[in-house]
């Protein structure tokens, strides 16, 4: 495992459907982050896990969004009842406690809601 | 609320030119600042990280400076090449509860280096 892996890379869904994305962090990285990036903007923080505990959530994470990291390894991000405004790149990153905060990003999942 | 601004939004230069990208932030209480590169449709590649106590970092043709008190950072690219064409993102980091951290990004500078 040489990096953060995200699946799927691309997802097209109809408005109102539920979607789930998966992130596999670098092995032994205990911290995992989700960011969202809309076209022409920088990424925005969504949420953060330390092991299996979700320690912080942005107000951007509405009640239609839920993120889990059940065993402190991979994480899933689910969006229920998708809206066109959810169309974005969803980026996952992971880091170690001792890394001065340096996080490694995955390639992202591009969501298009039609 | 931290806000990060990058100027210019887009830049087109001929190959070989030296260039400077600018980043400013409103809250100087940062842990560190990081510059990233993003190719179209791709994730982020870290270029340079400057701790809040540092003034600059260098890697190859890249040099990043930080003036924390004035809320400014610059990324200097020497002898630009077509392969440098990408979007460059500046991000400031603060520490969260539990020791994790949060990056606040600027909107990026889209760089095109022409032959």
């Amino acid at each position: 495992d040489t990096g953060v892996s995200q699946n799927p890379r691309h997802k097209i869904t109809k408005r109102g459907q539920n979607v789930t994305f998966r992130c596999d962090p670098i092995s032994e990285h205990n911290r995992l982050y989700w960011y969202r990036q809309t076209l022409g903007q920088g990424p925005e923080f969504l949420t953060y896990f330390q092991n299996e505990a979700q320690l912080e959530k942005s107000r951007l994470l509405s009640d239609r969004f839920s993120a889990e990291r059940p065993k402190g390894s991979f994480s899933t991000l689910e969006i229920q009842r998708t809206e066109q405004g959810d169309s974005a790149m969803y980026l996952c990153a992971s880091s170690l406690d001792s890394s001065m905060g340096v996080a490694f990003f995955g390639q992202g999942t591009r969501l298009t809601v039609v | 609320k931290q806000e990060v601004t990058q100027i210019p939004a887009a830049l087109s230069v001929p190959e070989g030119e030296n260039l400077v990208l600018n980043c400013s932030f409103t809250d100087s209480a940062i842990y560190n600042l990081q510059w990233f590169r993003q190719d179209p449709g791709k994730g982020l590649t870290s270029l340079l990280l400057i701790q809040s106590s540092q003034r600059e970092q260098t890697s190859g043709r890249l040099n990043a400076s930080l003036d924390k008190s004035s809320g400014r950072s610059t990324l200097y690219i020497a002898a630009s090449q077509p392969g440098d064409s990408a979007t460059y993102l500046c991000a400031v980091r603060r520490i969260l509860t539990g020791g994790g951290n949060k990056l606040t990004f600027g909107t990026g500078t889209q760089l095109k280096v022409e032959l």
Side-chain angles (χ1 to χ4, degrees):
Chain A
D1 184 3
T2 58
V4 178
S5 176
Q6 291 188 247
N7 289 288
R9 291 293 310 280
H10 304 274
K11 177 71 175 179
I12 300 174
T13 191
K14 291 184 179 179
R15 191 173 52 186
Q17 296 294 305
N18 299 343
V19 293
T20 300
F21 312 138
R22 176 177 170 128
C23 171
D24 287 273
I26 294 172
S27 298
E28 299 177 358
H29 278 195
N30 61 328
R31 293 181 181 151
L32 187 145
Y33 308 83
W34 285 97
Y35 285 79
R36 180 174 71 183
Q37 185 178 24
T38 54
L39 203 61
Q41 301 297 313
E44 295 175 291
F45 174 85
L46 292 179
T47 191
Y48 146 62
F49 289 86
Q50 173 137 341
N51 300 312
E52 67 276 10
Q54 187 174 19
L55 295 184
E56 184 143 338
K57 294 194 296 185
S58 163
R59 59 180 171 77
L60 294 175
L61 215 65
S62 76
D63 55 6
R64 295 185 298 106
F65 287 70
S66 63
E68 295 182 344
R69 195 182 183 200
K71 296 183 180 179
S73 56
F74 71 92
S75 175
T76 58
L77 178 66
E78 180 184 16
I79 309 174
Q80 296 182 326
R81 305 181 304 280
T82 52
E83 301 172 356
Q84 286 188 321
D86 297 331
S87 296
M89 174 80 87
Y90 290 83
L91 294 162
C92 176
S94 70
S95 71
L96 277 169
D97 282 341
S98 58
S99 63
M100 295 188 298
V102 175
F104 295 85
F105 281 82
Q107 293 295 297
T109 293
R110 166 75 66 191
L111 173 66
T112 302
V113 181
V114 297
Chain B
K1 179 189 171 186
Q2 178 73 271
E3 292 183 2
V4 180
T5 303
Q6 291 188 245
I7 295 172
L11 183 62
S12 182
V13 299
E15 182 179 14
E17 193 159 297
N18 302 326
L19 55 101
V20 176
L21 308 181
N22 296 291
C23 171
S24 61
F25 48 95
T26 54
D27 184 351
S28 62
I30 63 170
Y31 184 65
N32 55 41
L33 182 145
Q34 196 164 1
W35 283 92
F36 293 88
R37 168 187 172 137
Q38 186 174 34
D39 293 289
K42 303 291 186 182
L44 306 179
T45 300
S46 178
L47 298 174
L48 288 165
L49 182 145
I50 311 178
Q51 295 300 332
S52 59
S53 58
Q54 296 178 319
R55 298 287 292 185
E56 67 179 295
Q57 281 287 330
T58 298
S59 176
R61 295 183 293 109
L62 305 179
N63 175 277
S65 69
L66 173 64
D67 185 341
K68 185 182 161 186
S69 60
S70 68
R72 295 177 190 276
S73 176
T74 61
L75 178 67
Y76 175 82
I77 303 177
S80 57
Q81 303 171 356
D84 294 331
S85 298
T87 296
Y88 290 79
L89 292 159
C90 164
V92 295
R93 177 176 276 110
R94 72 173 179 89
I95 301 300
L96 300 172
T97 304
N101 62 86
K102 170 185 173 180
L103 287 166
T104 301
F105 286 84
T107 53
T109 293
Q110 191 171 357
L111 172 66
K112 183 176 181 181
V113 181
E114 298 173 323
L115 290 169

